[in-house]
Amino acid sequence: MKLIKCYVENFGCLHQFTYQFEEELTTINEMNGWGKSTFAVFVRSMFYGMPKNTKRNLDENERKKYTPWNGGTMGGNLVFEVHGKTYKMERFFDIAEKDDIFTLYDYQTNLVSTDYSSNIGEEMFGIDLDAYAKSAYISQDAIEIGTNDSINAKLGNLLDSDNDINNFDTAIKNLKEAKKKYKMQGRKGSIPEAELEITKKNVKLEKKESIREALAERTKQMKQIKMEKEKINKELEEVKEKVGKAAKYESYEQKKKQYDEIVLAVADKKQEIVKTKEFFKTGIPSEKAVMGCSQAITTLEQLKGEQKSYLLTDQENKQIKLFEERIAEGVFSNETLDSMEKKNRKYNEIAIKIEDGKLSATQEQEKEEGDKFFQKGIPTDEELFTFSSYITEIHRQETEIAKMEAVDKIEVTKSMESKKKSFPILIVFAIVFFCAGTMLYIFEKDPYAIAAIGIGFICMGIQTIWKSKSTKQTKQEDEQNAKIEEERTKEIECWIQKKEELKNKIESFLQRFAIIGYSDSYLEPLMQIRDRKTKYIALLEKIKKVDVQELEEDKEEQAKSLETFLKAMEEETCANDLDWEKGLQNIRERYNQFLVLRKRREQAAENKVKIKDYEERIQKFLQGFQGEADEDYFGSLDRIKSKVEEWNRLNLEEKKVLETKTRMEEASDFKEWVELKGEMLAIETIRTEETKLEEKRENQNELEKKIQDSMNELLDKADELNEIEQEKIILEEQLEKDIKKFEVIEGTIKYLEEAKELFSTHYLKGLRKSFETYMERVGDKNISGAKIDAKMEVSIDKNGAMRKLDYFSRGNKDLINVCARFALVDALFEEEKPVLILDDTFVNFDGEKLEKVLELLEEISKVYQVIYLVCHESRVNK
Amino acid sequence: MKIIHCADVHLDSKLRTNLTNEQARERRNELLITFEKMIAYAVEQDVKAILIAGDLFDTGNVTVKTRNAVASAITENPRIDFYYLFGNHDADNFILSWEELPKNLHLFSEKWITYELETFTISGIEIGEENKNTMYESLVLNPEKQNIVMLHGQEATYQGKDKTEIIQIPALANKFIDYLALGHIHSYKIGDIDHRGAYCYSGCLEGRGYDECGEKGFVLLNIENGSITPSFIPFAKRNIHEVKIDISGLETTSKIDQKISKEVSLIPSKDMLKVVLTGKVSITSERDLSYLETKYKESFYSFKIEDDLVRLQLNPKDYEKDASLKGEFIRLLMGKHFSDEQESAIIELGLKALAGEEVDK
């Protein structure tokens, strides 16, 4: 491939710059700032583009660095020839890589060519940008030889589809990363950590043996304790047996003692009984006798108490004396008193009668009025009835008259208009109700009488109304009716006459009583007369009943008797006040009192006899006991009672002790203990021994507990250690696995690298040869022995060791690297030769080296088109 | 007459390996329940005695609940005689907790103790440092009776170095032992002592980890007509299975999954299962164990899968002329004298790394 010419529109400081390349060596010797490096980058960028970069550092961000300051389009074109064909490629760069523009033209036809894409550098040279920078592009600040996958792949001449070599770095990196997990610097990684953990666990497990021994020791101790406890239990059993025997002996001793005491007690009791019996001179009284005496004493005391209450005062005696005298005189007796009381009642009755016989003021006035009203005589009931019937008759007559007149009218009306039938039943009702009502009112004063009368009037009214609606009479009936009417008229006149007669009679009767203002209805005045008569008669009756004078006389008589009696009985005050009632009442009370007092006196006498009798009986009873014949009967009795109790108690006690004695004598072991002899070890001593043994056992229990607790603690620790051991085993297993894996990874890394080295050796052969050739041309003895390894690193065999280039001077280093670069390019580009760009590469060379390398460059330019950029004449080949 | 021979119950074992805390707790309870069920079985079958040949408990620090449950099982069944021989895990703590041992609990010690029954005897000794050599000579049995002997330890069919808990079976020959009831090995195993007697490990009642696969239970001894006939009674609530599956030729996780599914289809879901993949696979094969574990752990009480035995199928001739880095790598390793396992692992890892796959699973 050969560059022909280029045009730079804008690229860094280059603006509209055109350049024509030499076929072999193009030397651009310009001053600093001309744009030599810029030009070199331009050429490279035309083939490889400018990778996207966001770094701020300009040295790291070429896109930013070479962006034209004038704001113009960054880019240009490059005409080149490859495989006998000439192309022109244009490339313009934008801010972002994606916006860059690339166009390839067939230079002959000026038509766009698709022979290469924008990745023309890689397509053409077979290496990536990085590889190009490490090979054909040699700048003064990046002169060292290096390699990458792209270079290796090219060197290895592998097919594109085989990614092994390309992935080698990544594979090694991943393996190393994986290896770090197991082991890395600073004791990190699962292996050292597991080892550390296992070590820690081993440290902990060192205690296991001691714990096991301690456990064994505790177990031994526990067993000993158990044995000791067994022994103690056995001894305790023996001691308990002894205790049993001692207790038995003790109980026998107790029994014997008790028996002896019982025997003594029996004797004592007998003695006491004898002594007690002396108190009872006439024998032991029965409970009944004692009770009897007690009751007698109680009764006596009661009688004495009553006796006190029976005593009469002087006043009371005087009272008795009065009545007795009066009785003896015959003035007073119960019957007399009764009689006086009767007289008093009679007196009172008379007074009431007298009072009843008197009329009140109102009654007096009524009587006067009655006298006046009935001055012409009081009508009899018959008279009243007669006149009442008259009234009834009058009404009947009026009814008849009305009836007749009605009929008459009806007949008339019939002849004139129509006839209306009368409804005779209404008239009957009217009469019945009216008469009945009247009778009822006059004689019974029944309020319903008014209603009956009213109904009578109503019936009459209806009849009248009914009558008013008369029926038509026929012509024939008219004549008849006229006749009848005439007869009727006569009859009516007759009735009227009769009526008048009755009316006269009634009025004549009524005149006797000065009743005025009555209407044609005579009923009312008649009723008035009747009422007044009833009242008047009642007043008269009242006066008639009582004969006051006689009564007064009788009353006086009673009063006299009463007065005499009261005075005789010393009730002058009441007598004077005529208060017979009160006087008699007083006497009655006093008499009752007299009776009571007299009774008391009698009872006192009776009591006295009884008292005497009781005293004799009690005395007689008390004499039967020693020293008890005094008058403190209750005290004596108490003493007797207590003696009796004592006697009973003693007898009971004697009985009990005799029973106890008998029981003891009947006991099966009586003979054993009754003659008990010898001595037994005190039970207390044995019990003390028992207590000691129990204490000892308790101590053993406590010790056992402590040891058990200690064992439990040890067992917990043992358990813990077991767990640690288990964990350790798991860790060890895992460690073994990890170590295996680690070894596998290590082995894999080692052998992959070895394989790569071997692999590289094949394709590095040519490179090494080429390098040696170049070194022979330009090197000196100082740097002879330089070698390139599979990693593309150069070292020099000096003093028996391979020394890194860093040990050497810059100039020597650069020279070696230049040779290595040339060798690399030879190895990489066996067929299509790229353009070599050297950007002031020899700046650090001394004169000798420079001369040699310039000569070499001249030779190389016969093979490769070389663009040599330099800023000083001294470094240009003359 | 019937007797039960059991051992290695390991009550109160922690059981945290391969199980969650909750499962571990559940399994601890299941151990105790199985023990109690065994007692119930004994009652039902009119068993006269139960021989516990060691390791009834897993630790000296027995929980109160377990202690009480075992004590209750003994005291509430006075018709059954319990013959309890201590194992290496047992401690005196349980026995020392009794104020007075129940009459139906019979213990042993570091000296031979023989319990004489009607027609047979039960003897036992707790092997320790002091008696491990002398115990064989000091065992004296009545040849007229049927003799049952109890021991706890590892059987050795050779006269090896002196080591605690080693039971030298040949040394017990011709001692008139009819049945040697052993404990310590957690799987049922029976063999002959001599022409007369047999030794038997009853195994444990419940497996506790993937190293205790297979059926677990106890041995029922039928003593009749002068002979003792043992029969193994599987009794565990859950069995533990280890299934080896050859995945040779199965290049993908999916195909491996299909084979696993087929091979484990008969295993009950209440059991614990460990699948061990074996065989040879090509370098291009893939298998995702975490996927398989996730898939199958729901189907069983506990599930584990390993592929440590899987090897890569490598033919050196295939890589003789492989000019790639991979080829170089494989050739390099095949030239080294690694074990199959290591070679396989490194190659597999290297290829995974070069392929850009996750290298640390």
Side-chain angles (χ1 to χ4, degrees):
Chain A
M1 197 275 292
K2 289 263 195 268
L3 297 179
I4 299 169
K5 63 177 177 180
C6 72
Y7 170 76
V8 181
E9 177 63 35
N10 289 294
F11 197 88
C13 57
L14 299 172
H15 305 288
Q16 294 171 343
F17 172 76
T18 308
Y19 195 82
Q20 195 86 26
F21 295 101
E22 300 297 330
E23 269 205 35
E24 294 175 353
L25 176 62
T26 304
T27 302
I28 302 175
N29 178 16
E30 295 292 344
M31 299 188 45
N32 293 339
W34 180 87
K36 298 186 289 298
S37 298
T38 304
F39 185 64
V41 172
F42 170 79
V43 170
R44 190 204 72 204
S45 301
M46 289 304 287
F47 284 101
Y48 283 98
M50 294 180 86
K52 65 177 174 186
N53 196 321
T54 55
K55 294 223 166 56
R56 286 188 179 182
N57 188 343
L58 288 175
D59 287 334
E60 292 177 61
N61 191 342
E62 287 181 342
R63 189 180 286 267
K64 196 173 173 184
K65 183 176 178 179
Y66 295 109
T67 301
W69 293 354
N70 61 9
T73 313
M74 181 170 141
N77 65 56
L78 186 66
V79 177
F80 64 94
E81 185 214 325
V82 64
H83 301 308
K85 198 170 174 184
T86 307
Y87 297 92
K88 176 183 170 186
M89 67 174 162
E90 287 178 359
R91 202 190 280 267
F92 292 95
F93 307 97
D94 211 317
I95 297 169
E97 190 191 1
K98 63 180 175 60
D99 297 323
D100 291 352
I101 299 168
F102 173 84
T103 320
L104 183 71
Y105 297 96
D106 183 330
Y107 196 65
Q108 298 295 331
T109 62
N110 268 338
L111 293 171
V112 171
S113 172
T114 56
D115 290 351
Y116 297 99
S117 70
S118 60
N119 202 21
I120 186 171
E122 211 165 316
E123 288 164 12
M124 201 180 292
F125 303 128
I127 52 172
D128 58 22
L129 172 59
D130 185 49
Y132 181 80
K134 283 178 160 75
S135 55
Y137 184 84
I138 310 170
S139 68
Q140 61 173 281
D141 51 3
I143 202 172
E144 292 85 6
I145 190 174
T147 185
N148 65 0
D149 291 339
S150 184
I151 290 172
N152 290 333
K154 185 116 172 78
L155 288 174
N157 203 21
L158 297 166
L159 295 171
D160 286 29
S161 61
D162 193 336
N163 277 327
D164 288 349
I165 192 65
N166 286 336
N167 289 342
F168 175 81
D169 287 339
T170 310
I172 295 295
K173 184 182 161 201
N174 290 342
L175 284 166
K176 282 182 177 172
E177 275 306 311
K179 188 177 145 188
K180 277 183 196 171
K181 186 184 147 194
Y182 297 101
K183 208 190 261 188
M184 56 194 257
Q185 278 183 346
R187 301 285 295 164
K188 287 183 187 170
S190 66
I191 291 171
E193 281 167 11
E195 283 169 347
L196 181 64
E197 201 54 39
I198 288 167
T199 306
K200 283 182 188 170
K201 287 189 189 313
N202 280 334
V203 165
K204 285 182 185 171
L205 287 170
E206 280 169 8
K207 292 181 203 166
K208 193 177 175 187
E209 189 54 35
S210 62
I211 287 172
R212 196 192 62 77
E213 282 171 6
L215 258 174
E217 183 59 35
R218 295 287 179 279
T219 307
K220 197 174 158 189
Q221 284 173 346
M222 281 294 277
K223 284 184 178 169
Q224 275 173 352
I225 288 168
K226 287 243 182 260
M227 278 170 52
E228 184 63 27
K229 273 174 70 172
E230 258 182 59
K231 188 179 155 200
I232 291 168
N233 283 337
K234 213 172 172 183
E235 283 176 20
L236 262 172
E237 267 180 42
E238 287 169 10
V239 164
K240 280 188 194 311
E241 211 183 301
K242 270 192 210 170
V243 163
K245 281 185 183 163
K248 199 174 179 183
Y249 183 84
E250 214 172 84
S251 89
Y252 279 1
E253 261 188 345
Q254 286 259 348
K255 283 182 182 174
K256 186 167 182 338
K257 189 176 165 188
Q258 206 178 356
Y259 180 74
D260 292 341
E261 283 171 4
I262 294 285
V263 165
L264 277 173
V266 166
D268 286 343
K269 287 295 171 245
K270 278 198 182 339
Q271 213 172 347
E272 279 181 55
I273 287 169
V274 164
K275 198 173 169 189
T276 305
K277 201 172 176 184
E278 285 170 10
F279 177 78
F280 302 101
K281 286 196 274 194
T282 55
I284 313 298
S286 66
E287 195 177 332
K288 194 176 171 186
V290 171
M291 283 298 294
C293 180
S294 174
Q295 278 170 4
I297 295 170
T298 306
T299 308
L300 178 64
E301 292 300 318
Q302 275 174 1
L303 288 171
K304 283 183 178 174
E306 282 171 7
Q307 192 66 356
K308 282 183 191 163
S309 68
Y310 292 152
L311 288 176
L312 299 172
T313 62
D314 290 342
Q315 181 66 25
E316 286 169 343
N317 280 322
K318 198 176 162 188
Q319 190 76 353
I320 289 175
K321 190 178 171 189
L322 172 68
F323 272 92
E324 281 177 343
E325 283 172 1
R326 291 292 174 272
I327 291 167
E329 287 164 7
V331 172
F332 180 86
S333 71
N334 190 34
E335 292 75 19
T336 310
L337 184 56
D338 288 342
S339 159
M340 286 297 143
E341 285 170 347
K342 219 183 222 174
K343 281 187 187 294
N344 181 47
R345 281 195 295 276
K346 195 172 176 186
Y347 176 86
N348 290 333
E349 281 170 10
I350 293 168
I352 289 164
K353 274 183 185 170
I354 292 169
E355 200 56 39
D356 282 348
K358 288 182 184 169
L359 293 174
S360 66
T362 312
Q363 283 173 338
E364 281 292 343
Q365 194 179 348
E366 283 178 2
K367 182 181 171 288
E368 276 180 31
E369 286 173 4
D371 289 340
K372 221 179 190 179
F373 190 80
F374 294 107
Q375 68 184 339
K376 289 182 180 174
I378 302 169
T380 64
D381 290 337
E382 290 78 18
E383 280 183 288
L384 289 173
F385 183 77
T386 302
F387 286 109
S388 170
S389 66
Y390 285 169
I391 293 168
T392 305
E393 183 62 28
I394 288 170
H395 287 142
R396 194 183 71 79
Q397 285 168 2
E398 282 175 350
T399 303
E400 284 297 321
I401 293 166
K403 184 181 164 184
M404 296 242 170
E405 283 175 351
V407 169
D408 191 42
K409 201 171 178 184
I410 287 166
E411 294 297 326
V412 169
T413 305
K414 251 189 186 174
S415 65
M416 302 255 314
E417 293 170 1
S418 57
K419 285 187 184 168
K420 285 197 177 172
K421 288 186 185 167
S422 65
F423 194 64
I425 192 75
L426 279 173
I427 297 168
V428 171
F429 280 150
I431 294 168
V432 167
F433 277 110
F434 191 77
C435 289
T438 307
M439 291 301 154
L440 280 170
Y441 187 76
I442 291 171
F443 294 105
E444 299 299 327
K445 289 214 184 353
D446 196 335
Y448 288 115
I450 305 292
I453 295 168
I455 292 168
F457 275 117
I458 290 164
C459 289
M460 199 128 56
I462 293 168
Q463 174 60 36
T464 307
I465 292 165
W466 194 266
K467 191 179 160 191
S468 68
K469 295 182 183 178
S470 57
T471 56
K472 287 184 182 174
Q473 286 185 344
T474 61
K475 235 183 189 178
Q476 285 178 339
E477 284 177 348
D478 283 345
E479 287 176 2
Q480 234 176 352
N481 288 339
K483 206 177 179 178
I484 293 168
E485 189 188 338
E486 195 185 329
E487 286 174 0
R488 202 177 288 123
T489 303
K490 278 184 185 169
E491 199 174 340
I492 288 167
E493 282 173 0
C494 186
W495 281 108
I496 290 168
Q497 194 183 352
K498 281 182 184 172
K499 188 182 94 175
E500 288 302 319
E501 284 173 9
L502 286 174
K503 275 175 93 170
N504 291 334
K505 282 181 183 174
I506 291 168
E507 284 182 5
S508 170
F509 170 70
L510 291 176
Q511 279 167 7
R512 276 164 59 185
F513 303 97
I515 294 173
I516 57 172
Y518 55 82
S519 65
D520 285 341
S521 171
Y522 302 116
L523 188 63
E524 194 184 322
L526 199 64
M527 284 164 69
Q528 192 183 354
I529 292 167
R530 188 181 60 83
D531 289 341
R532 290 191 79 162
K533 178 193 168 185
T534 304
K535 282 182 185 171
Y536 184 66
I537 296 288
L539 287 170
L540 291 177
E541 286 291 323
K542 189 174 176 182
I543 295 166
K544 212 194 267 184
K545 273 183 187 172
V546 177
D547 184 348
V548 175
Q549 192 172 347
E550 195 180 322
L551 288 172
E552 289 286 350
E553 285 171 6
D554 197 357
K555 184 177 150 189
E556 190 58 37
E557 193 184 326
Q558 304 304 324
K560 267 188 185 166
S561 297
L562 286 165
E563 186 184 353
T564 307
F565 181 70
L566 287 177
K567 282 181 179 172
M569 297 306 295
E570 295 181 5
E571 290 290 337
E572 279 87 6
T573 309
C574 291
N576 293 335
D577 291 343
L578 304 182
D579 192 354
W580 320 124
E581 179 100 25
K582 191 174 173 194
L584 287 171
Q585 210 171 342
N586 288 345
I587 293 166
R588 176 57 74 185
E589 283 172 9
R590 283 162 54 207
Y591 175 63
N592 287 336
Q593 202 177 4
F594 159 74
L595 290 173
V596 168
L597 291 172
R598 195 172 64 177
K599 181 82 183 162
R600 267 171 58 184
R601 197 173 57 186
E602 286 164 8
Q603 281 177 333
E606 278 176 28
N607 239 24
K608 200 171 172 182
V609 171
K610 280 184 185 173
I611 286 168
K612 193 178 169 188
D613 177 43
Y614 271 98
E615 277 186 346
E616 281 171 9
R617 280 167 58 190
I618 289 164
Q619 292 267 352
K620 192 176 170 188
F621 179 76
L622 291 177
Q623 277 162 9
F625 306 98
Q626 205 173 42
E628 293 298 337
D630 59 24
E631 285 189 8
D632 180 10
Y633 299 140
F634 276 121
S636 297
L637 191 66
D638 283 342
R639 280 192 292 279
I640 291 164
K641 276 184 185 173
S642 67
K643 279 292 184 191
V644 168
E645 276 171 18
E646 195 182 321
W647 167 260
N648 289 335
R649 180 182 55 77
L650 285 171
N651 276 298
L652 196 63
E653 282 172 5
E654 189 199 25
K655 189 179 169 192
K656 273 186 184 166
V657 294
L658 279 170
E659 277 174 4
T660 306
K661 182 168 172 280
T662 308
R663 206 169 42 247
M664 289 179 87
E665 285 165 356
E666 285 172 0
S668 56
D669 55 355
F670 175 69
K671 283 192 178 143
E672 280 179 46
W673 50 261
V674 75
E675 289 169 24
L676 192 67
K677 280 171 195 167
E679 280 181 24
M680 167 69 70
L681 194 61
I683 195 169
E684 287 307 316
T685 312
I686 301 170
R687 284 212 185 277
T688 307
E689 197 183 330
E690 185 188 18
T691 308
K692 278 186 185 159
L693 283 169
E694 279 173 349
E695 271 173 21
K696 208 170 162 186
R697 186 173 62 179
E698 193 53 40
N699 290 341
Q700 289 298 309
N701 282 341
E702 276 175 24
L703 186 61
E704 184 184 19
K705 187 176 176 304
K706 278 185 190 158
I707 292 172
Q708 184 63 57
D709 287 343
S710 169
M711 268 182 83
N712 289 342
E713 221 175 283
L714 287 168
L715 285 167
D716 282 340
K717 283 184 185 161
D719 225 27
E720 218 177 284
L721 289 176
N722 280 339
E723 187 127 355
I724 290 170
E725 199 165 28
Q726 286 295 315
E727 286 168 7
K728 190 190 104 168
I729 290 168
I730 292 168
L731 273 172
E732 283 171 344
E733 282 171 6
Q734 188 58 44
L735 178 64
E736 201 183 317
K737 282 181 188 169
D738 285 353
I739 289 172
K740 265 188 190 164
K741 278 189 190 166
F742 177 77
E743 285 171 355
V744 166
I745 293 173
E746 245 188 359
T748 307
I749 292 169
K750 180 184 168 189
Y751 291 109
L752 265 178
E753 284 178 339
E754 211 175 295
K756 185 183 173 268
E757 203 164 306
L758 281 171
F759 181 73
S760 304
T761 306
H762 300 313
Y763 59 72
L764 283 178
K765 215 171 169 178
L767 189 148
R768 282 186 180 135
K769 195 174 172 190
S770 192
F771 175 68
E772 279 162 18
T773 306
Y774 287 126
M775 283 302 295
E776 273 172 31
R777 281 293 308 278
V778 298
D780 57 34
K781 62 176 187 303
N782 288 331
I783 55 173
S784 64
K787 303 247 184 285
I788 296 180
D789 61 24
K791 292 180 189 170
M792 294 286 189
E793 287 174 7
V794 182
S795 49
I796 300 175
D797 188 356
K798 272 288 179 221
N799 296 99
M802 297 305 292
R803 311 286 177 185
K804 284 189 177 173
L805 285 186
D806 291 333
Y807 284 108
F808 297 85
S809 68
R810 186 67 198 267
N812 282 332
K813 219 162 58 171
D814 284 355
L815 184 66
I816 293 165
N817 280 320
V818 163
C819 291
R821 285 292 199 106
F822 289 157
L824 180 61
V825 168
D826 285 346
L828 280 173
F829 305 105
E830 285 178 358
E831 292 171 12
E832 192 56 52
K833 306 292 182 191
V835 175
L836 296 184
I837 303 175
L838 280 71
D839 184 3
D840 219 349
T841 311
F842 313 128
V843 70
N844 292 315
F845 288 1
D846 59 31
E848 193 184 330
K849 285 185 182 66
L850 186 64
E851 194 183 331
K852 285 180 184 177
V853 81
L854 285 173
E855 278 175 20
L856 181 59
L857 195 66
E858 201 63 49
E859 286 173 29
I860 285 170
S861 68
K862 306 290 183 224
V863 179
Y864 300 93
Q865 185 181 23
V866 177
I867 301 173
Y868 176 48
L869 302 156
V870 67
C871 66
H872 200 274
E873 189 66 35
S874 62
R875 291 193 287 279
V876 177
N877 196 1
K878 302 289 189 284
Chain B
M1 184 180 175
K2 292 178 187 172
I3 292 178
I4 281 178
H5 162 211
C6 69
D8 300 294
V9 185
H10 285 282
L11 294 173
D12 274 356
S13 185
K14 292 288 180 237
L15 297 171
R16 291 220 182 104
T17 317
N18 300 312
L19 296 173
T20 62
N21 283 345
E22 204 178 301
Q23 285 177 321
R25 189 166 47 243
E26 190 179 24
R27 284 296 287 153
R28 276 201 293 282
N29 289 333
E30 284 173 1
L31 278 184
L32 181 58
I33 291 166
T34 302
F35 176 75
E36 288 168 341
K37 281 184 176 173
M38 183 188 75
I39 309 292
Y41 176 93
V43 171
E44 199 187 319
Q45 294 291 319
D46 197 25
V47 165
K48 292 292 180 226
I50 295 178
L51 314 177
I52 305 172
D55 287 354
L56 174 61
F57 303 103
D58 191 58
T59 165
N61 198 9
V62 183
T63 60
V64 175
K65 175 198 89 184
T66 301
R67 192 163 65 216
N68 288 343
V70 173
S72 182
I74 295 170
T75 54
E76 285 174 16
N77 294 288
R79 289 182 165 202
I80 299 175
D81 285 305
F82 291 81
Y83 294 89
Y84 178 21
L85 179 84
F86 276 26
N88 49 305
H89 284 267
D90 293 313
D92 292 306
N93 205 31
F94 172 68
I95 299 301
L96 289 172
S97 67
W98 298 88
E99 274 297 325
E100 193 181 321
L101 290 178
K103 290 193 169 29
N104 61 332
L105 175 61
H106 310 285
L107 304 178
F108 298 91
S109 69
E110 289 184 353
K111 291 195 172 139
W112 284 107
I113 293 178
T114 299
Y115 294 96
E116 300 271 350
L117 285 91
E118 300 148 8
T119 57
F120 63 95
T121 66
I122 298 174
S123 305
I125 188 170
E126 289 164 3
I127 304 174
E129 197 57 43
E130 292 178 2
N131 64 12
K132 61 186 180 183
N133 295 322
T134 58
M135 67 177 199
Y136 303 99
E137 281 71 41
S138 55
L139 174 60
V140 177
L141 298 169
N142 183 351
E144 301 300 317
K145 286 197 169 181
Q146 286 174 292
N147 297 305
I148 296 173
V149 175
M150 294 174 66
L151 289 172
H152 184 89
Q154 173 67 51
E155 54 109 359
T157 51
Y158 57 88
Q159 301 266 354
K161 285 184 190 174
D162 287 338
K163 198 179 170 185
T164 306
E165 297 170 7
I166 289 289
I167 299 168
Q168 295 174 9
I169 302 292
L172 290 167
N174 303 315
K175 293 271 181 190
F176 311 114
I177 297 173
D178 293 282
Y179 182 82
L180 180 59
L182 297 175
H184 189 64
I185 291 177
H186 294 180
S187 294
Y188 172 68
K189 181 180 177 182
I190 193 161
D192 291 329
I193 306 170
D194 51 30
H195 68 280
R196 175 170 169 157
Y199 72 89
C200 178
Y201 281 97
S202 64
C204 53
L205 282 183
E206 289 274 353
R208 294 179 298 149
Y210 287 110
D211 56 341
E212 296 181 2
C213 295
E215 284 191 322
K216 304 296 174 198
F218 56 85
V219 174
L220 182 66
L221 302 176
N222 208 354
I223 302 177
E224 208 172 20
N225 302 326
S227 69
I228 299 177
T229 310
S231 52
F232 177 70
I233 309 292
F235 210 69
K237 177 169 178 166
R238 299 182 200 282
N239 286 321
I240 302 177
H241 307 266
E242 183 179 288
V243 176
K244 286 196 169 126
I245 297 176
D246 189 342
I247 59 165
S248 300
L250 302 177
E251 297 291 301
T252 63
T253 303
S254 171
K255 289 203 162 74
I256 295 169
D257 178 16
Q258 282 171 20
K259 187 154 187 191
I260 291 173
S261 179
K262 198 174 159 190
E263 296 280 330
V264 305
S265 60
L266 295 177
I267 293 173
S269 62
K270 66 175 177 59
D271 288 356
M272 294 164 65
L273 171 63
K274 177 174 155 185
V275 167
V276 178
L277 302 177
T278 64
K280 291 195 172 186
V281 295
S282 72
I283 59 172
T284 56
S285 69
E286 60 82 15
R287 59 187 178 281
D288 189 340
L289 294 192
S290 68
Y291 164 80
L292 293 168
E293 186 154 339
T294 306
K295 184 176 175 182
Y296 285 96
K297 77 175 183 188
E298 296 300 321
S299 304
F300 298 96
Y301 189 74
S302 168
F303 179 80
K304 196 173 168 181
I305 184 165
E306 290 175 356
D307 66 350
D308 296 337
L309 300 180
V310 175
R311 302 283 176 262
L312 286 176
Q313 183 94 36
L314 292 171
N315 186 351
K317 285 194 172 136
D318 292 341
Y319 298 96
E320 264 177 14
K321 294 204 172 128
D322 187 341
S324 67
L325 176 60
K326 182 170 72 189
E328 195 69 53
F329 178 61
I330 293 172
R331 275 198 302 279
L332 182 64
L333 277 166
M334 288 174 79
K336 305 284 179 196
H337 298 293
F338 286 119
S339 63
D340 280 351
E341 187 188 342
Q342 211 167 6
E343 182 187 279
S344 197
I346 292 173
I347 290 174
E348 210 169 329
L349 185 62
L351 295 180
K352 266 189 182 169
L354 287 175
E357 285 178 26
E358 208 178 312
V359 297
D360 185 32
K361 272 193 185 169

